[in-house]
Amino acid sequence: MSVTTTAGARLRAAGGGANRWVVLVVLCVSLLLVALDATVLHVAVPAVTEDLRPSGVELLWIVDAYPLICASLLILFGTLGDRVGRRRVLLLGYGIFGIASAVAALATTPEVLIAARALLGFGGAMIMPATLSILRAVFPDRRERATAIGIWTAVAAVGAATGPVLGGFLVENFWWGSVFLINIPLMALILPVGRWLLPESRGSADGPWDVLGALMAAAGVLGVVLGVKRLGAGDSLLDIRTAGPLLLGATLLALFVRRQRRREHPLIDMRMFARAAFSTSVGCIILAMLALVGLELIAVQYLQLVLDLSPLETGLRLLPLTFAAMAAGATGSHTLNRIGPRRMVGWGFALTAASVLLLVLMGQHDRPWLLTSAFVLLGFGLQTTLFGAYESMLSEAPADQAGGAAAIGETSYQLGAGMGIAMLGSVMNAAYAPAFSSLASVPARDRAAASHSLGEAYQVADRLGGSAGEALRTTARHSFVSGLHVTLLVSAGLLLLGALAALRLPKVMECAAAVEKCPRPRRPEVSLPASREPAEATGSGRAAH
C-alpha cells in the first residue's frame, strides 16, 4: 500500500478521531462557494446588461436560473447520495460547479450565461445536501455534531452576506466574469483534497432508486419556486404564468408524497414528518428564511435609496449582522446543551422579533447606532433559530436518511427565501403604492411608474424636475419608510408565530436512543490504523469512523 493511499485511508476513517474536524473544514469551504454564488452576481447585473444586452426575460433567467435549478434538484441528489454514496455525488458536484463557472465567466451571449447558471445550480444541488449529510455521518456524537452544525450554518451566513461585497469589489476592479472565475482555482484545489480526505457513506440501499419519484419531486419544487418568485416580482396570483407553475408544482408534490407513502422502499420516509421535532424544525427553517430574505431585500433598498449610502457602505452596514450570526453559530452548541432546542429556537425567534420592532424606529434620517444594534440582534437571533432548527431536524432523521433529510432542510431554506421575497414584497408594495394617488401635479402615467418601486420613483422625479419632481421624490421617500414600518410589523408577527411553533420541539437535548440529557463528551477515541479501515468506509449505511 502506498504512502498516499495509507494517508487517505487514515483520513477517511475520520469519524472516530480529530480528523473529522479537518473534514468539516472541507465541507465548509464547499458550502461557502455555493452560498457565495447565490448572491455574488446581484451587483454584477448592470455590467452584464451593458455587455451582453439581454432582454428583460433573459436577464430574469440569468439571475434566477441558479437558485431555481438548485432548489428543484436538492431532493433528487440528496436521496441519490444516500443510495450511491454521498462523497461520490459531492465530488461530481465539485467538477460540474468548476466547469460551469468557467463557462459562465467566458460567456459571450445571454443564452450561454443562462445555461452556465443552470449548470451551476445542477452542481450546487449536488454539493449542498451532501455536505450536511456527510457532516451527520462524520459526527455521530450529538454534542460534537451540534458544534459542527453551528460552524456550518455560520459559514452559510457569511457566504450569503459577503457575496454582494465581494462581487462589487471584483466588478469594480476587473470585469463581471471575475465573479465566476474565482470559483475555478478553489474547485481545482478542493476536488483532489476532497477525493483524498472525505469519507464515503451511504444510507439504506434496499430496493431500486425511485427515479420517477425523484423527477416528480424536482418538477414539483421547480414549479412552486418559480410561481413564488413570480409573485415576488409583482405578478398577480391569478396570472396563468404564476398560477400555472404553482398549481402544477403543488399537484406533483402531493403525488410525490402519496407515492412515497405507498412504496416499500421510498426515497424519503414520510414517517419522519410524523415526528413533531422534525416537522416543526422544517417549519421553523421556512419561517426564519421567510423573515430574513424579505427583510434583507428591503433593508438594502432603505440603506441605498433612503439613507443614500453607496454599495460599499451598505455592505459595511450589514457586516454587524454577519458577525453576530458567526458568534451565534460558534456558541450554538453550548447554548443548545444548556437550554435545549425548544427554548433555543423560541428565544431566537423572540429576539429576532424584538430586533425587527427596534428597526421600526428608523425613519428618514440615519441613526447608525440604532441600526447597528438592531442588526446585531437580528443576526444573532436568526442564526440561533436556524442552528437549533437544523440540529433538531438532522438529529431526528435516521442516519440512513441523512441525505434526504438534508435535502428537505435545504429545500425548506430555498422555499422560505422565495416566499419571503414574495410575501413581504407584496406587503411592502401594498403599503407603498397608494400614496401616489394624491399627487395631482404629476401625470397619471408617471404616478403609476413611480408606484412600482422607490428606485423607479427617483428616476421619474429626476425626469420631471421642478416642484412636481421634488413632490414626487418626497412622497416616495415617506411612503417607502411607512411601508417599511408596516412590513417590519408583519415580519415581527411571523417571527412570533415561529416562537409559538417552537413549543413543539423537545425541551432538552436528547441522545439518539435515550430520553435523557446528553452526557459530557468523552475523550476522542484513538483512530483505527489505516490497515484496519472499517467496513463502513465502503458504505454500509453509516459513516466511516
PDB file of all heavy atoms in Angstrom, residues 497-520:
ATOM      1  N   LEU A 497     -45.001  33.983  15.594  1.00  0.00           N
ATOM      2  CA  LEU A 497     -45.668  32.725  15.258  1.00  0.00           C
ATOM      3  C   LEU A 497     -44.668  31.572  15.293  1.00  0.00           C
ATOM      4  O   LEU A 497     -44.975  30.468  15.761  1.00  0.00           O
ATOM      5  CB  LEU A 497     -46.314  32.837  13.870  1.00  0.00           C
ATOM      6  CG  LEU A 497     -47.078  31.613  13.351  1.00  0.00           C
ATOM      7  CD1 LEU A 497     -48.286  31.325  14.240  1.00  0.00           C
ATOM      8  CD2 LEU A 497     -47.532  31.843  11.913  1.00  0.00           C
ATOM      9  N   GLY A 498     -43.452  31.828  14.789  1.00  0.00           N
ATOM     10  CA  GLY A 498     -42.404  30.818  14.862  1.00  0.00           C
ATOM     11  C   GLY A 498     -42.039  30.476  16.294  1.00  0.00           C
ATOM     12  O   GLY A 498     -41.775  29.309  16.615  1.00  0.00           O
ATOM     13  N   ALA A 499     -42.012  31.482  17.173  1.00  0.00           N
ATOM     14  CA  ALA A 499     -41.710  31.231  18.584  1.00  0.00           C
ATOM     15  C   ALA A 499     -42.748  30.305  19.211  1.00  0.00           C
ATOM     16  O   ALA A 499     -42.420  29.435  20.024  1.00  0.00           O
ATOM     17  CB  ALA A 499     -41.630  32.557  19.341  1.00  0.00           C
ATOM     18  N   LEU A 500     -44.004  30.490  18.830  1.00  0.00           N
ATOM     19  CA  LEU A 500     -45.060  29.604  19.339  1.00  0.00           C
ATOM     20  C   LEU A 500     -44.908  28.191  18.777  1.00  0.00           C
ATOM     21  O   LEU A 500     -45.104  27.198  19.488  1.00  0.00           O
ATOM     22  CB  LEU A 500     -46.438  30.169  18.978  1.00  0.00           C
ATOM     23  CG  LEU A 500     -46.851  31.465  19.678  1.00  0.00           C
ATOM     24  CD1 LEU A 500     -48.181  31.964  19.133  1.00  0.00           C
ATOM     25  CD2 LEU A 500     -46.954  31.246  21.200  1.00  0.00           C
ATOM     26  N   ALA A 501     -44.558  28.103  17.492  1.00  0.00           N
ATOM     27  CA  ALA A 501     -44.376  26.784  16.876  1.00  0.00           C
ATOM     28  C   ALA A 501     -43.247  26.012  17.547  1.00  0.00           C
ATOM     29  O   ALA A 501     -43.296  24.780  17.654  1.00  0.00           O
ATOM     30  CB  ALA A 501     -44.089  26.945  15.381  1.00  0.00           C
ATOM     31  N   ALA A 502     -42.224  26.739  18.027  1.00  0.00           N
ATOM     32  CA  ALA A 502     -41.075  26.089  18.657  1.00  0.00           C
ATOM     33  C   ALA A 502     -41.448  25.357  19.934  1.00  0.00           C
ATOM     34  O   ALA A 502     -40.667  24.527  20.423  1.00  0.00           O
ATOM     35  CB  ALA A 502     -39.989  27.118  18.955  1.00  0.00           C
ATOM     36  N   LEU A 503     -42.633  25.620  20.485  1.00  0.00           N
ATOM     37  CA  LEU A 503     -43.064  24.925  21.703  1.00  0.00           C
ATOM     38  C   LEU A 503     -43.248  23.425  21.470  1.00  0.00           C
ATOM     39  O   LEU A 503     -43.309  22.654  22.429  1.00  0.00           O
ATOM     40  CB  LEU A 503     -44.374  25.530  22.215  1.00  0.00           C
ATOM     41  CG  LEU A 503     -44.297  26.984  22.707  1.00  0.00           C
ATOM     42  CD1 LEU A 503     -45.690  27.498  23.063  1.00  0.00           C
ATOM     43  CD2 LEU A 503     -43.359  27.094  23.909  1.00  0.00           C
ATOM     44  N   ARG A 504     -43.314  22.999  20.219  1.00  0.00           N
ATOM     45  CA  ARG A 504     -43.464  21.578  19.906  1.00  0.00           C
ATOM     46  C   ARG A 504     -42.121  20.843  19.881  1.00  0.00           C
ATOM     47  O   ARG A 504     -42.082  19.622  19.763  1.00  0.00           O
ATOM     48  CB  ARG A 504     -44.162  21.408  18.549  1.00  0.00           C
ATOM     49  CG  ARG A 504     -45.560  22.000  18.486  1.00  0.00           C
ATOM     50  CD  ARG A 504     -46.203  21.713  17.146  1.00  0.00           C
ATOM     51  NE  ARG A 504     -46.554  20.294  17.002  1.00  0.00           N
ATOM     52  CZ  ARG A 504     -46.309  19.588  15.904  1.00  0.00           C
ATOM     53  NH1 ARG A 504     -45.674  20.125  14.877  1.00  0.00           N
ATOM     54  NH2 ARG A 504     -46.663  18.315  15.827  1.00  0.00           N
ATOM     55  N   LEU A 505     -41.021  21.591  19.979  1.00  0.00           N
ATOM     56  CA  LEU A 505     -39.706  20.967  19.978  1.00  0.00           C
ATOM     57  C   LEU A 505     -39.399  20.366  21.352  1.00  0.00           C
ATOM     58  O   LEU A 505     -39.989  20.779  22.357  1.00  0.00           O
ATOM     59  CB  LEU A 505     -38.632  22.002  19.613  1.00  0.00           C
ATOM     60  CG  LEU A 505     -38.658  22.524  18.173  1.00  0.00           C
ATOM     61  CD1 LEU A 505     -37.665  23.659  18.006  1.00  0.00           C
ATOM     62  CD2 LEU A 505     -38.358  21.398  17.184  1.00  0.00           C
ATOM     63  N   PRO A 506     -38.465  19.408  21.414  1.00  0.00           N
ATOM     64  CA  PRO A 506     -38.108  18.818  22.713  1.00  0.00           C
ATOM     65  C   PRO A 506     -37.565  19.874  23.675  1.00  0.00           C
ATOM     66  O   PRO A 506     -36.900  20.826  23.263  1.00  0.00           O
ATOM     67  CB  PRO A 506     -37.017  17.798  22.348  1.00  0.00           C
ATOM     68  CG  PRO A 506     -37.212  17.516  20.903  1.00  0.00           C
ATOM     69  CD  PRO A 506     -37.749  18.764  20.297  1.00  0.00           C
ATOM     70  N   LYS A 507     -37.837  19.676  24.949  1.00  0.00           N
ATOM     71  CA  LYS A 507     -37.396  20.641  25.952  1.00  0.00           C
ATOM     72  C   LYS A 507     -35.902  20.538  26.219  1.00  0.00           C
ATOM     73  O   LYS A 507     -35.243  21.538  26.509  1.00  0.00           O
ATOM     74  CB  LYS A 507     -38.175  20.413  27.251  1.00  0.00           C
ATOM     75  CG  LYS A 507     -37.969  21.498  28.285  1.00  0.00           C
ATOM     76  CD  LYS A 507     -38.884  21.288  29.486  1.00  0.00           C
ATOM     77  CE  LYS A 507     -38.719  22.408  30.505  1.00  0.00           C
ATOM     78  NZ  LYS A 507     -39.616  22.232  31.675  1.00  0.00           N
ATOM     79  N   VAL A 508     -35.369  19.334  26.141  1.00  0.00           N
ATOM     80  CA  VAL A 508     -33.942  19.136  26.399  1.00  0.00           C
ATOM     81  C   VAL A 508     -33.305  18.469  25.189  1.00  0.00           C
ATOM     82  O   VAL A 508     -33.977  17.841  24.365  1.00  0.00           O
ATOM     83  CB  VAL A 508     -33.692  18.273  27.655  1.00  0.00           C
ATOM     84  CG1 VAL A 508     -34.226  18.965  28.893  1.00  0.00           C
ATOM     85  CG2 VAL A 508     -34.315  16.888  27.502  1.00  0.00           C
ATOM     86  N   MET A 509     -32.007  18.619  25.085  1.00  0.00           N
ATOM     87  CA  MET A 509     -31.238  17.985  24.014  1.00  0.00           C
ATOM     88  C   MET A 509     -31.090  16.509  24.347  1.00  0.00           C
ATOM     89  O   MET A 509     -30.466  16.157  25.348  1.00  0.00           O
ATOM     90  CB  MET A 509     -29.869  18.653  23.911  1.00  0.00           C
ATOM     91  CG  MET A 509     -28.996  18.156  22.789  1.00  0.00           C
ATOM     92  SD  MET A 509     -27.441  19.088  22.771  1.00  0.00           S
ATOM     93  CE  MET A 509     -26.565  18.230  21.464  1.00  0.00           C
ATOM     94  N   GLU A 510     -31.688  15.652  23.536  1.00  0.00           N
ATOM     95  CA  GLU A 510     -31.726  14.231  23.842  1.00  0.00           C
ATOM     96  C   GLU A 510     -30.746  13.458  22.987  1.00  0.00           C
ATOM     97  O   GLU A 510     -30.447  13.840  21.864  1.00  0.00           O
ATOM     98  CB  GLU A 510     -33.146  13.684  23.616  1.00  0.00           C
ATOM     99  CG  GLU A 510     -34.184  14.306  24.546  1.00  0.00           C
ATOM    100  CD  GLU A 510     -35.594  13.902  24.165  1.00  0.00           C
ATOM    101  OE1 GLU A 510     -35.740  13.259  23.115  1.00  0.00           O
ATOM    102  OE2 GLU A 510     -36.524  14.237  24.903  1.00  0.00           O
ATOM    103  N   CYS A 511     -30.247  12.354  23.555  1.00  0.00           N
ATOM    104  CA  CYS A 511     -29.404  11.454  22.775  1.00  0.00           C
ATOM    105  C   CYS A 511     -30.281  10.644  21.828  1.00  0.00           C
ATOM    106  O   CYS A 511     -31.494  10.639  21.941  1.00  0.00           O
ATOM    107  CB  CYS A 511     -28.625  10.520  23.699  1.00  0.00           C
ATOM    108  SG  CYS A 511     -27.427  11.385  24.727  1.00  0.00           S
ATOM    109  N   ALA A 512     -29.636   9.933  20.920  1.00  0.00           N
ATOM    110  CA  ALA A 512     -30.374   9.254  19.850  1.00  0.00           C
ATOM    111  C   ALA A 512     -31.383   8.243  20.364  1.00  0.00           C
ATOM    112  O   ALA A 512     -32.488   8.152  19.869  1.00  0.00           O
ATOM    113  CB  ALA A 512     -29.388   8.571  18.906  1.00  0.00           C
ATOM    114  N   ALA A 513     -31.025   7.494  21.388  1.00  0.00           N
ATOM    115  CA  ALA A 513     -31.909   6.399  21.795  1.00  0.00           C
ATOM    116  C   ALA A 513     -32.315   6.467  23.249  1.00  0.00           C
ATOM    117  O   ALA A 513     -32.901   5.548  23.789  1.00  0.00           O
ATOM    118  CB  ALA A 513     -31.210   5.068  21.541  1.00  0.00           C
ATOM    119  N   ALA A 514     -32.018   7.567  23.926  1.00  0.00           N
ATOM    120  CA  ALA A 514     -32.346   7.671  25.339  1.00  0.00           C
ATOM    121  C   ALA A 514     -32.983   9.002  25.626  1.00  0.00           C
ATOM    122  O   ALA A 514     -32.563  10.018  25.138  1.00  0.00           O
ATOM    123  CB  ALA A 514     -31.086   7.502  26.185  1.00  0.00           C
ATOM    124  N   VAL A 515     -34.037   9.001  26.415  1.00  0.00           N
ATOM    125  CA  VAL A 515     -34.712  10.239  26.775  1.00  0.00           C
ATOM    126  C   VAL A 515     -34.013  10.804  28.002  1.00  0.00           C
ATOM    127  O   VAL A 515     -34.510  10.735  29.115  1.00  0.00           O
ATOM    128  CB  VAL A 515     -36.206   9.994  27.042  1.00  0.00           C
ATOM    129  CG1 VAL A 515     -36.922  11.303  27.284  1.00  0.00           C
ATOM    130  CG2 VAL A 515     -36.832   9.243  25.893  1.00  0.00           C
ATOM    131  N   GLU A 516     -32.848  11.339  27.796  1.00  0.00           N
ATOM    132  CA  GLU A 516     -32.059  11.917  28.874  1.00  0.00           C
ATOM    133  C   GLU A 516     -31.141  12.958  28.292  1.00  0.00           C
ATOM    134  O   GLU A 516     -30.903  12.985  27.096  1.00  0.00           O
ATOM    135  CB  GLU A 516     -31.239  10.839  29.578  1.00  0.00           C
ATOM    136  CG  GLU A 516     -30.267  10.122  28.653  1.00  0.00           C
ATOM    137  CD  GLU A 516     -29.495   9.027  29.360  1.00  0.00           C
ATOM    138  OE1 GLU A 516     -29.645   8.914  30.575  1.00  0.00           O
ATOM    139  OE2 GLU A 516     -28.752   8.305  28.687  1.00  0.00           O
ATOM    140  N   LYS A 517     -30.624  13.789  29.153  1.00  0.00           N
ATOM    141  CA  LYS A 517     -29.733  14.833  28.707  1.00  0.00           C
ATOM    142  C   LYS A 517     -28.433  14.212  28.221  1.00  0.00           C
ATOM    143  O   LYS A 517     -27.918  13.274  28.817  1.00  0.00           O
ATOM    144  CB  LYS A 517     -29.446  15.810  29.849  1.00  0.00           C
ATOM    145  CG  LYS A 517     -29.083  17.196  29.361  1.00  0.00           C
ATOM    146  CD  LYS A 517     -29.155  18.192  30.490  1.00  0.00           C
ATOM    147  CE  LYS A 517     -28.917  19.592  29.973  1.00  0.00           C
ATOM    148  NZ  LYS A 517     -28.996  20.589  31.031  1.00  0.00           N
ATOM    149  N   CYS A 518     -27.893  14.744  27.115  1.00  0.00           N
ATOM    150  CA  CYS A 518     -26.675  14.161  26.571  1.00  0.00           C
ATOM    151  C   CYS A 518     -25.529  14.296  27.552  1.00  0.00           C
ATOM    152  O   CYS A 518     -25.361  15.340  28.167  1.00  0.00           O
ATOM    153  CB  CYS A 518     -26.297  14.856  25.255  1.00  0.00           C
ATOM    154  SG  CYS A 518     -27.371  14.408  23.905  1.00  0.00           S
ATOM    155  N   PRO A 519     -24.726  13.261  27.717  1.00  0.00           N
ATOM    156  CA  PRO A 519     -23.596  13.346  28.628  1.00  0.00           C
ATOM    157  C   PRO A 519     -22.517  14.252  28.081  1.00  0.00           C
ATOM    158  O   PRO A 519     -22.507  14.568  26.894  1.00  0.00           O
ATOM    159  CB  PRO A 519     -23.103  11.888  28.677  1.00  0.00           C
ATOM    160  CG  PRO A 519     -23.483  11.328  27.352  1.00  0.00           C
ATOM    161  CD  PRO A 519     -24.793  11.973  27.002  1.00  0.00           C
ATOM    162  N   ARG A 520     -21.630  14.632  28.951  1.00  0.00           N
ATOM    163  CA  ARG A 520     -20.498  15.442  28.507  1.00  0.00           C
ATOM    164  C   ARG A 520     -19.629  14.590  27.588  1.00  0.00           C
ATOM    165  O   ARG A 520     -19.503  13.384  27.760  1.00  0.00           O
ATOM    166  CB  ARG A 520     -19.679  15.926  29.698  1.00  0.00           C
ATOM    167  CG  ARG A 520     -20.457  16.877  30.574  1.00  0.00           C
ATOM    168  CD  ARG A 520     -19.556  17.550  31.587  1.00  0.00           C
ATOM    169  NE  ARG A 520     -20.318  18.492  32.385  1.00  0.00           N
ATOM    170  CZ  ARG A 520     -20.578  19.733  32.002  1.00  0.00           C
ATOM    171  NH1 ARG A 520     -20.153  20.153  30.834  1.00  0.00           N
ATOM    172  NH2 ARG A 520     -21.267  20.545  32.773  1.00  0.00           N
TER     173      ARG A 520
END
